[in-house]
Coordinates of all heavy atoms in Angstrom, one line a residue:
M1 N 7.7 6.8 3.6 CA 8.4 5.7 3.0 C 7.4 4.5 2.9 O 7.5 3.6 3.7 CB 9.6 5.4 3.7 CG 10.4 4.2 3.2 SD 11.9 3.9 4.0 CE 13.0 5.0 3.2
R2 N 6.5 4.5 2.0 CA 5.5 3.5 1.9 C 6.1 2.1 1.5 O 7.0 2.1 0.7 CB 4.4 3.9 1.0 CG 3.6 5.0 1.5 CD 2.3 5.2 0.8 NE 1.6 6.2 1.6 CZ 0.8 7.1 1.1 NH1 0.7 7.3 -0.2 NH2 0.2 7.9 1.9
G3 N 5.6 1.1 2.1 CA 6.0 -0.3 1.8 C 7.4 -0.6 2.5 O 7.9 -1.7 2.1
A4 N 7.8 0.2 3.4 CA 9.0 -0.1 4.1 C 8.7 -0.7 5.5 O 7.8 -0.2 6.2 CB 9.9 1.1 4.3
F5 N 9.4 -1.8 5.9 CA 9.2 -2.5 7.1 C 10.5 -2.7 7.8 O 11.6 -2.9 7.2 CB 8.5 -3.8 6.9 CG 7.1 -3.7 6.3 CD1 7.0 -3.6 4.9 CD2 6.0 -3.6 7.1 CE1 5.7 -3.5 4.4 CE2 4.8 -3.5 6.6 CZ 4.6 -3.4 5.2
V6 N 10.5 -2.7 9.1 CA 11.7 -3.2 9.9 C 11.3 -4.5 10.6 O 10.2 -4.6 11.2 CB 12.0 -2.1 11.0 CG1 13.1 -2.7 12.0 CG2 12.4 -0.8 10.4
V7 N 12.1 -5.5 10.4 CA 11.8 -6.8 11.0 C 13.0 -7.1 11.9 O 14.1 -7.2 11.5 CB 11.6 -7.9 9.9 CG1 11.4 -9.3 10.5 CG2 10.5 -7.6 9.0
Q8 N 12.7 -7.4 13.2 CA 13.7 -7.7 14.1 C 13.4 -9.2 14.5 O 12.3 -9.5 15.1 CB 13.6 -6.8 15.4 CG 14.6 -7.2 16.4 CD 14.5 -6.2 17.6 OE1 13.6 -5.4 17.7 NE2 15.4 -6.4 18.6
L9 N 14.4 -10.0 14.2 CA 14.2 -11.5 14.6 C 14.7 -11.7 16.0 O 15.7 -11.2 16.4 CB 15.0 -12.3 13.6 CG 14.6 -12.2 12.1 CD1 15.5 -13.0 11.2 CD2 13.1 -12.7 12.0
G10 N 13.9 -12.5 16.8 CA 14.2 -12.7 18.1 C 15.2 -13.9 18.3 O 15.5 -14.7 17.3
P11 N 15.6 -14.2 19.5 CA 16.6 -15.2 19.8 C 16.1 -16.6 19.5 O 16.8 -17.6 19.4 CB 17.0 -15.0 21.2 CG 15.9 -14.2 21.8 CD 15.3 -13.4 20.7
E12 N 14.8 -16.8 19.5 CA 14.2 -18.1 19.3 C 14.0 -18.5 17.9 O 13.6 -19.5 17.5 CB 12.8 -18.2 20.0 CG 12.8 -18.0 21.5 CD 13.7 -19.1 22.2 OE1 13.6 -20.3 21.8 OE2 14.5 -18.7 23.1
T13 N 14.4 -17.5 17.0 CA 14.3 -17.8 15.5 C 15.4 -18.8 15.1 O 16.5 -18.7 15.4 CB 14.6 -16.5 14.7 OG1 13.5 -15.6 15.1 CG2 14.6 -16.7 13.2
K14 N 14.9 -19.8 14.4 CA 15.7 -20.9 13.9 C 15.2 -21.3 12.5 O 14.4 -22.2 12.4 CB 15.7 -22.1 14.9 CG 16.0 -21.8 16.3 CD 16.9 -22.9 16.9 CE 17.2 -22.6 18.4 NZ 17.6 -21.3 18.8
P15 N 15.7 -20.5 11.5 CA 15.2 -20.7 10.1 C 15.4 -22.2 9.7 O 14.5 -22.7 9.0 CB 16.1 -19.8 9.3 CG 16.6 -18.7 10.3 CD 16.7 -19.4 11.6
S16 N 16.4 -22.8 10.1 CA 16.6 -24.2 9.6 C 15.6 -25.2 10.1 O 15.3 -26.2 9.6 CB 18.0 -24.7 10.0 OG 18.1 -24.7 11.4
E17 N 14.9 -24.7 11.2 CA 13.8 -25.5 11.8 C 12.4 -24.9 11.5 O 11.4 -25.4 12.0 CB 14.0 -25.6 13.3 CG 15.3 -26.3 13.8 CD 15.5 -26.2 15.3 OE1 14.5 -25.9 16.0 OE2 16.6 -26.4 15.7
G18 N 12.5 -23.9 10.7 CA 11.2 -23.2 10.3 C 10.6 -22.4 11.4 O 9.4 -22.1 11.4
R19 N 11.4 -22.0 12.4 CA 10.9 -21.2 13.5 C 11.3 -19.7 13.4 O 12.5 -19.4 13.2 CB 11.4 -21.8 14.9 CG 10.7 -23.1 15.2 CD 11.0 -23.6 16.6 NE 11.8 -22.8 17.4 CZ 12.6 -23.3 18.4 NH1 12.7 -24.6 18.6 NH2 13.3 -22.5 19.2
F20 N 10.3 -18.9 13.4 CA 10.5 -17.4 13.4 C 9.8 -16.7 14.5 O 8.6 -17.1 14.7 CB 10.1 -16.9 12.0 CG 11.0 -17.3 10.9 CD1 10.7 -18.5 10.2 CD2 12.0 -16.6 10.4 CE1 11.5 -19.0 9.2 CE2 12.8 -17.0 9.4 CZ 12.5 -18.2 8.7
E21 N 10.4 -15.8 15.1 CA 9.7 -15.0 16.1 C 10.4 -13.7 16.2 O 11.6 -13.6 15.9 CB 9.6 -15.7 17.5 CG 11.0 -15.9 18.2 CD 11.4 -14.8 19.1 OE1 10.5 -14.0 19.5 OE2 12.6 -14.7 19.4
G22 N 9.7 -12.6 16.5 CA 10.3 -11.3 16.6 C 9.2 -10.2 16.5 O 8.1 -10.4 16.9
L23 N 9.7 -9.1 16.0 CA 8.8 -7.9 15.9 C 8.9 -7.3 14.5 O 10.0 -7.2 13.9 CB 9.3 -6.8 16.9 CG 8.6 -5.5 17.0 CD1 7.2 -5.7 17.6 CD2 9.4 -4.5 17.7
A24 N 7.8 -6.9 13.9 CA 7.8 -6.3 12.6 C 7.1 -4.9 12.8 O 6.1 -4.8 13.5 CB 7.0 -7.1 11.6
E25 N 7.7 -3.9 12.1 CA 7.1 -2.6 12.2 C 7.0 -2.0 10.8 O 7.9 -2.0 10.0 CB 8.0 -1.7 13.1 CG 7.5 -0.2 13.2 CD 8.4 0.7 13.9 OE1 9.4 0.2 14.5 OE2 8.1 1.9 13.9
E26 N 5.8 -1.4 10.5 CA 5.7 -0.6 9.3 C 6.2 0.8 9.5 O 5.7 1.5 10.4 CB 4.2 -0.6 8.9 CG 3.9 0.1 7.6 CD 2.4 0.2 7.3 OE1 1.6 0.2 8.2 OE2 2.2 0.2 6.1
V27 N 7.2 1.2 8.8 CA 7.9 2.4 9.0 C 6.9 3.6 8.8 O 6.9 4.5 9.7 CB 9.1 2.6 8.0 CG1 9.7 4.0 8.1 CG2 10.1 1.5 8.3
D28 N 6.1 3.7 7.8 CA 5.3 4.8 7.5 C 4.2 5.1 8.6 O 4.0 6.2 9.0 CB 4.5 4.6 6.2 CG 3.8 5.8 5.7 OD1 4.4 6.9 5.8 OD2 2.7 5.7 5.2
S29 N 3.6 4.0 9.1 CA 2.5 4.2 10.1 C 3.0 4.0 11.5 O 2.3 4.4 12.5 CB 1.4 3.2 9.8 OG 1.8 1.9 10.1
G30 N 4.1 3.3 11.7 CA 4.5 3.0 13.1 C 3.8 1.7 13.7 O 4.1 1.4 14.8
R31 N 2.9 1.1 12.9 CA 2.2 -0.1 13.4 C 3.2 -1.2 13.5 O 4.1 -1.4 12.7 CB 1.2 -0.5 12.4 CG 0.1 0.5 12.2 CD -1.2 0.0 12.6 NE -2.2 1.0 12.4 CZ -3.4 0.9 12.8 NH1 -3.8 -0.2 13.4 NH2 -4.3 1.9 12.6
E32 N 3.1 -1.9 14.6 CA 4.0 -3.0 14.8 C 3.2 -4.2 15.3 O 2.1 -4.1 15.8 CB 5.1 -2.7 15.8 CG 4.7 -2.2 17.2 CD 5.8 -1.8 18.0 OE1 6.8 -1.1 17.5 OE2 5.8 -2.1 19.2
M33 N 3.9 -5.4 15.2 CA 3.3 -6.6 15.6 C 4.4 -7.6 16.0 O 5.4 -7.7 15.3 CB 2.5 -7.2 14.5 CG 1.8 -8.5 14.8 SD 1.2 -9.4 13.3 CE 2.3 -10.8 13.4
R34 N 4.1 -8.3 17.1 CA 5.0 -9.4 17.5 C 4.5 -10.6 16.8 O 3.3 -10.9 16.7 CB 4.9 -9.7 19.0 CG 5.6 -8.6 19.8 CD 6.2 -9.1 21.1 NE 7.0 -8.1 21.8 CZ 8.2 -7.8 21.5 NH1 8.9 -8.6 20.6 NH2 8.9 -6.9 22.1
F35 N 5.4 -11.4 16.2 CA 5.0 -12.6 15.5 C 5.8 -13.8 16.1 O 6.9 -13.7 16.6 CB 5.3 -12.4 14.0 CG 6.8 -12.2 13.6 CD1 7.6 -13.2 13.4 CD2 7.3 -10.9 13.6 CE1 9.0 -13.0 13.1 CE2 8.6 -10.7 13.3 CZ 9.5 -11.7 13.0
R36 N 5.1 -14.9 15.9 CA 5.7 -16.2 16.5 C 5.8 -17.2 15.4 O 6.0 -18.4 15.7 CB 4.8 -16.7 17.6 CG 5.0 -15.8 18.8 CD 4.1 -16.2 20.0 NE 4.3 -15.4 21.2 CZ 3.8 -14.2 21.3 NH1 3.2 -13.6 20.3 NH2 4.0 -13.5 22.4
S37 N 5.6 -16.8 14.1 CA 5.8 -17.8 13.0 C 6.0 -17.0 11.7 O 5.6 -15.8 11.7 CB 4.5 -18.7 12.9 OG 3.4 -17.9 12.4
A38 N 6.5 -17.6 10.7 CA 6.7 -17.0 9.4 C 5.4 -16.6 8.8 O 5.2 -15.6 8.2 CB 7.5 -17.9 8.5
E39 N 4.4 -17.4 9.1 CA 3.0 -17.2 8.6 C 2.4 -15.9 9.2 O 1.9 -15.1 8.5 CB 2.1 -18.4 8.9 CG 0.7 -18.2 8.3 CD -0.2 -19.4 8.5 OE1 0.2 -20.3 9.2 OE2 -1.4 -19.3 8.1
E40 N 2.6 -15.7 10.5 CA 2.1 -14.5 11.1 C 2.8 -13.2 10.6 O 2.2 -12.2 10.3 CB 2.3 -14.5 12.6 CG 1.3 -15.4 13.4 CD 1.6 -15.4 14.9 OE1 2.5 -14.7 15.4 OE2 0.8 -16.1 15.6
L41 N 4.1 -13.4 10.4 CA 4.9 -12.3 9.8 C 4.4 -11.9 8.4 O 4.2 -10.8 8.1 CB 6.4 -12.6 9.8 CG 7.3 -11.7 9.0 CD1 7.3 -10.3 9.6 CD2 8.7 -12.2 9.0
M42 N 4.3 -12.9 7.6 CA 3.9 -12.7 6.2 C 2.4 -12.1 6.1 O 2.2 -11.3 5.3 CB 4.0 -14.0 5.4 CG 5.4 -14.5 5.2 SD 6.6 -13.2 4.6 CE 6.0 -13.0 3.0
N43 N 1.6 -12.6 7.0 CA 0.2 -12.0 7.0 C 0.2 -10.6 7.4 O -0.5 -9.7 6.7 CB -0.7 -12.8 8.0 CG -1.1 -14.1 7.5 OD1 -1.1 -14.4 6.3 ND2 -1.5 -15.0 8.4
F44 N 1.0 -10.2 8.4 CA 1.1 -8.8 8.8 C 1.7 -7.9 7.6 O 1.1 -6.9 7.3 CB 2.0 -8.6 10.0 CG 2.3 -7.2 10.4 CD1 1.4 -6.4 11.0 CD2 3.6 -6.7 10.1 CE1 1.6 -5.1 11.4 CE2 3.8 -5.3 10.5 CZ 2.9 -4.6 11.1
L45 N 2.8 -8.4 7.0 CA 3.4 -7.7 5.9 C 2.4 -7.5 4.8 O 2.3 -6.4 4.2 CB 4.7 -8.3 5.5 CG 5.8 -8.4 6.5 CD1 7.0 -9.2 5.9 CD2 6.3 -7.0 6.8
G46 N 1.7 -8.6 4.4 CA 0.8 -8.6 3.3 C -0.4 -7.6 3.5 O -0.8 -6.8 2.7
Q47 N -1.0 -7.7 4.7 CA -2.1 -6.8 5.1 C -1.7 -5.3 5.0 O -2.4 -4.5 4.5 CB -2.6 -7.1 6.5 CG -3.4 -8.4 6.5 CD -3.7 -8.8 7.9 OE1 -3.3 -8.2 8.9 NE2 -4.3 -10.0 8.1
R48 N -0.5 -5.0 5.7 CA -0.1 -3.6 5.7 C 0.3 -3.1 4.3 O 0.0 -2.0 3.9 CB 1.1 -3.4 6.7 CG 0.8 -3.8 8.1 CD -0.4 -3.2 8.7 NE -0.4 -1.7 8.6 CZ -1.5 -1.0 8.8 NH1 -2.6 -1.5 9.2 NH2 -1.4 0.3 8.7
F49 N 0.9 -4.0 3.5 CA 1.3 -3.6 2.1 C 0.0 -3.3 1.3 O 0.0 -2.3 0.6 CB 2.1 -4.7 1.5 CG 2.6 -4.3 0.1 CD1 3.6 -3.4 -0.1 CD2 1.9 -4.9 -1.0 CE1 4.0 -3.1 -1.4 CE2 2.3 -4.6 -2.3 CZ 3.4 -3.7 -2.5
E50 N -1.0 -4.2 1.4 CA -2.2 -4.0 0.6 C -2.9 -2.7 1.0 O -3.4 -2.0 0.2 CB -3.2 -5.2 0.8 CG -2.7 -6.4 0.1 CD -2.6 -6.3 -1.4 OE1 -3.4 -5.6 -2.0 OE2 -1.7 -6.9 -2.0
L51 N -2.9 -2.4 2.3 CA -3.5 -1.1 2.8 C -2.7 0.1 2.2 O -3.3 1.1 1.8 CB -3.6 -1.0 4.3 CG -4.6 -1.9 5.0 CD1 -4.4 -1.9 6.5 CD2 -6.0 -1.4 4.6
A52 N -1.4 0.0 2.3 CA -0.6 1.1 1.7 C -0.8 1.3 0.2 O -0.9 2.4 -0.3 CB 0.9 0.9 2.1
K53 N -0.9 0.2 -0.5 CA -1.1 0.2 -1.9 C -2.4 0.8 -2.3 O -2.5 1.6 -3.2 CB -0.9 -1.2 -2.5 CG -0.9 -1.3 -4.0 CD -0.7 -2.7 -4.5 CE -0.7 -2.8 -6.0 NZ -1.8 -2.3 -6.7
A54 N -3.4 0.4 -1.6 CA -4.8 0.9 -1.8 C -4.8 2.4 -1.6 O -5.5 3.2 -2.3 CB -5.8 0.2 -0.9
S55 N -4.1 2.9 -0.6 CA -4.1 4.3 -0.3 C -3.4 5.1 -1.4 O -3.8 6.1 -1.8 CB -3.3 4.5 1.0 OG -3.2 5.9 1.3
V56 N -2.3 4.5 -1.9 CA -1.6 5.2 -3.0 C -2.4 5.2 -4.3 O -2.5 6.2 -4.9 CB -0.2 4.4 -3.3 CG1 0.4 4.9 -4.6 CG2 0.7 4.6 -2.1
D57 N -3.1 4.0 -4.6 CA -4.0 4.0 -5.8 C -5.1 5.0 -5.7 O -5.4 5.7 -6.7 CB -4.5 2.6 -5.9 CG -3.5 1.5 -6.3 OD1 -2.4 1.9 -6.7 OD2 -3.8 0.3 -6.2
K58 N -5.7 5.1 -4.5 CA -6.8 6.1 -4.3 C -6.3 7.5 -4.5 O -6.9 8.3 -5.2 CB -7.4 5.9 -2.9 CG -8.6 6.8 -2.6 CD -9.1 6.5 -1.2 CE -10.3 7.4 -0.9 NZ -10.8 7.2 0.4
T59 N -5.1 7.8 -4.0 CA -4.5 9.2 -4.1 C -4.2 9.5 -5.6 O -4.5 10.6 -6.1 CB -3.3 9.3 -3.2 OG1 -3.6 9.1 -1.9 CG2 -2.6 10.7 -3.4
E60 N -3.6 8.5 -6.2 CA -3.3 8.7 -7.7 C -4.5 8.9 -8.5 O -4.5 9.8 -9.4 CB -2.4 7.5 -8.2 CG -1.0 7.5 -7.6 CD -0.2 6.3 -8.1 OE1 -0.8 5.4 -8.7 OE2 1.0 6.3 -7.8
A61 N -5.6 8.2 -8.2 CA -6.8 8.3 -9.0 C -7.4 9.7 -8.8 O -7.9 10.4 -9.7 CB -7.8 7.2 -8.6
S62 N -7.3 10.2 -7.5 CA -7.8 11.5 -7.2 C -7.1 12.6 -7.9 O -7.6 13.5 -8.5 CB -7.8 11.7 -5.7 OG -8.2 13.0 -5.4
I63 N -5.8 12.5 -8.0 CA -4.9 13.4 -8.6 C -5.2 13.4 -10.1 O -5.3 14.5 -10.7 CB -3.4 13.1 -8.4 CG1 -3.1 13.4 -6.9 CG2 -2.5 13.9 -9.3 CD1 -1.7 13.0 -6.5
K64 N -5.4 12.3 -10.7 CA -5.7 12.2 -12.2 C -7.0 12.9 -12.5 O -7.1 13.6 -13.5 CB -5.7 10.7 -12.6 CG -4.3 10.1 -12.8 CD -4.4 8.7 -13.2 CE -3.0 8.1 -13.3 NZ -3.1 6.7 -13.7
R65 N -8.0 12.7 -11.6 CA -9.3 13.4 -11.9 C -9.1 14.9 -11.8 O -9.7 15.6 -12.6 CB -10.3 12.9 -10.9 CG -10.9 11.6 -11.2 CD -12.1 11.3 -10.3 NE -11.9 11.3 -8.9 CZ -11.5 10.3 -8.2 NH1 -11.4 9.1 -8.7 NH2 -11.3 10.4 -6.9
E66 N -8.3 15.4 -10.9 CA -8.1 16.8 -10.8 C -7.3 17.4 -11.9 O -7.5 18.5 -12.3 CB -7.4 17.1 -9.5 CG -8.2 16.8 -8.2 CD -7.4 16.9 -6.9 OE1 -6.2 17.3 -7.0 OE2 -7.9 16.6 -5.9
Q67 N -6.4 16.6 -12.6 CA -5.6 17.1 -13.6 C -6.3 17.1 -15.0 O -5.8 17.8 -15.9 CB -4.3 16.2 -13.7 CG -3.4 16.4 -12.5 CD -2.2 15.5 -12.6 OE1 -2.2 14.6 -13.4 NE2 -1.2 15.8 -11.8
V68 N -7.3 16.4 -15.2 CA -8.0 16.3 -16.5 C -8.9 17.5 -16.6 O -9.8 17.7 -15.9 CB -8.8 15.0 -16.6 CG1 -9.6 15.0 -17.9 CG2 -7.9 13.8 -16.5
P69 N -8.5 18.4 -17.6 CA -9.4 19.6 -17.8 C -10.7 19.2 -18.4 O -10.8 18.2 -19.2 CB -8.6 20.5 -18.7 CG -7.6 19.6 -19.4 CD -7.4 18.4 -18.5
P70 N -11.8 19.9 -18.2 CA -13.0 19.6 -18.8 C -12.9 19.8 -20.3 O -12.2 20.7 -20.8 CB -14.0 20.6 -18.2 CG -13.2 21.7 -17.6 CD -11.8 21.1 -17.3
R71 N -13.6 18.9 -21.1 CA -13.6 19.0 -22.5 C -14.4 20.2 -23.0 O -15.5 20.4 -22.6 CB -14.1 17.7 -23.1 CG -13.2 16.5 -22.9 CD -13.8 15.3 -23.5 NE -13.5 15.3 -24.9 CZ -13.9 14.4 -25.8 NH1 -14.6 13.4 -25.3 NH2 -13.6 14.5 -27.0
K72 N -13.8 20.9 -23.9 CA -14.5 22.0 -24.5 C -15.2 21.5 -25.7 O -14.8 20.7 -26.5 CB -13.5 23.1 -24.9 CG -12.8 23.8 -23.7 CD -11.9 24.9 -24.2 CE -11.2 25.5 -23.0 NZ -10.3 26.6 -23.3
K73 N -16.4 22.1 -25.9 CA -17.2 21.7 -27.1 C -16.6 22.3 -28.4 O -16.1 23.5 -28.3 CB -18.6 22.1 -27.0 CG -19.3 21.4 -25.9 CD -20.8 21.8 -25.8 CE -21.5 21.0 -24.7 NZ -22.9 21.3 -24.7
N74 N -16.6 21.6 -29.4 CA -16.1 22.1 -30.7 C -17.2 22.9 -31.3 O -18.3 22.4 -31.6 CB -15.8 20.9 -31.6 CG -15.1 21.3 -32.9 OD1 -15.3 22.5 -33.3 ND2 -14.4 20.4 -33.5
P75 N -17.0 24.2 -31.6 CA -18.0 25.1 -32.2 C -18.5 24.5 -33.5 O -19.7 24.7 -33.9 CB -17.3 26.4 -32.4 CG -16.0 26.4 -31.8 CD -15.7 24.9 -31.4
R76 N -17.7 23.8 -34.3 CA -18.1 23.3 -35.6 C -19.2 22.2 -35.4 O -20.1 22.1 -36.1 CB -17.0 22.7 -36.4 CG -16.0 23.8 -36.9 CD -14.9 23.2 -37.6 NE -14.0 24.2 -38.0 CZ -12.8 24.0 -38.4 NH1 -12.3 22.7 -38.6 NH2 -12.0 24.9 -38.7
Q77 N -19.0 21.4 -34.3 CA -19.9 20.3 -34.0 C -21.3 20.9 -33.6 O -22.3 20.4 -34.0 CB -19.4 19.4 -32.9 CG -18.3 18.5 -33.3 CD -17.7 17.7 -32.2 OE1 -18.0 18.0 -31.1 NE2 -17.0 16.6 -32.6
E78 N -21.3 22.0 -32.9 CA -22.5 22.6 -32.4 C -23.3 23.1 -33.7 O -24.5 23.0 -33.7 CB -22.3 23.8 -31.5 CG -21.8 23.3 -30.1 CD -21.5 24.4 -29.2 OE1 -21.8 25.6 -29.5 OE2 -21.0 24.2 -28.1
R79 N -22.6 23.7 -34.6 CA -23.3 24.3 -35.8 C -23.9 23.1 -36.7 O -25.0 23.2 -37.2 CB -22.3 25.1 -36.7 CG -22.0 26.4 -36.1 CD -21.1 27.2 -37.0 NE -20.3 28.1 -36.2 CZ -19.1 28.4 -36.5 NH1 -18.5 27.9 -37.5 NH2 -18.5 29.3 -35.7
S80 N -23.1 22.0 -36.8 CA -23.6 21.0 -37.7 C -24.7 20.2 -37.1 O -25.5 19.6 -37.9 CB -22.4 20.1 -38.1 OG -22.0 19.4 -36.9
S81 N -24.9 20.2 -35.8 CA -26.0 19.4 -35.2 C -27.2 20.2 -35.1 O -28.3 19.7 -34.7 CB -25.6 18.9 -33.8 OG -25.3 20.1 -33.0
S82 N -27.3 21.5 -35.5 CA -28.5 22.3 -35.4 C -29.3 22.2 -36.6 O -29.0 22.0 -37.7 CB -28.2 23.8 -35.3 OG -27.2 24.2 -34.5

């Protein structure tokens, strides 16, 4: 489940005061991080999302290369170029 995260907000979180603390976990990898600010949380989410996206892009590019059959030469073109 790429791009999925669990965020648990701790008791010290007070959104009206701009205070956030808790634990964030990336579901796919199990990587987690304790955060003490919204900025730390957003940085973690952004970094993990970018890594997951890069992995998906790389896999898709690899699959596309494997699916493209080699081009066959046209016998007419070979005759006309001789």
Side-chain angles (χ1 to χ4, degrees):
M1 180 178 273
R2 293 196 168 140
F5 297 88
V6 173
V7 177
Q8 181 180 4
L9 299 175
E12 297 301 316
T13 297
K14 304 221 183 316
S16 61
E17 298 173 16
R19 288 188 3 209
F20 291 86
E21 64 93 18
L23 179 72
E25 178 184 355
E26 182 182 28
V27 174
D28 191 44
S29 69
R31 298 242 180 187
E32 59 182 42
M33 182 197 112
R34 290 211 172 274
F35 60 90
R36 289 178 179 73
S37 70
E39 184 178 1
E40 285 182 3
L41 171 60
M42 296 309 292
N43 285 339
F44 174 75
L45 295 176
Q47 289 169 358
R48 300 309 306 168
F49 181 76
E50 288 298 325
L51 286 171
K53 186 175 179 311
S55 174
V56 168
D57 291 347
K58 184 178 178 181
T59 301
E60 287 176 353
S62 176
I63 290 170
K64 284 181 183 177
R65 281 194 300 270
E66 291 172 5
Q67 291 177 344
V68 176
R71 292 181 77 183
K72 294 182 180 179
K73 293 185 179 180
N74 185 339
R76 292 181 185 166
Q77 288 178 342
E78 288 179 6
R79 289 185 204 142
S80 64
S81 63
S82 320

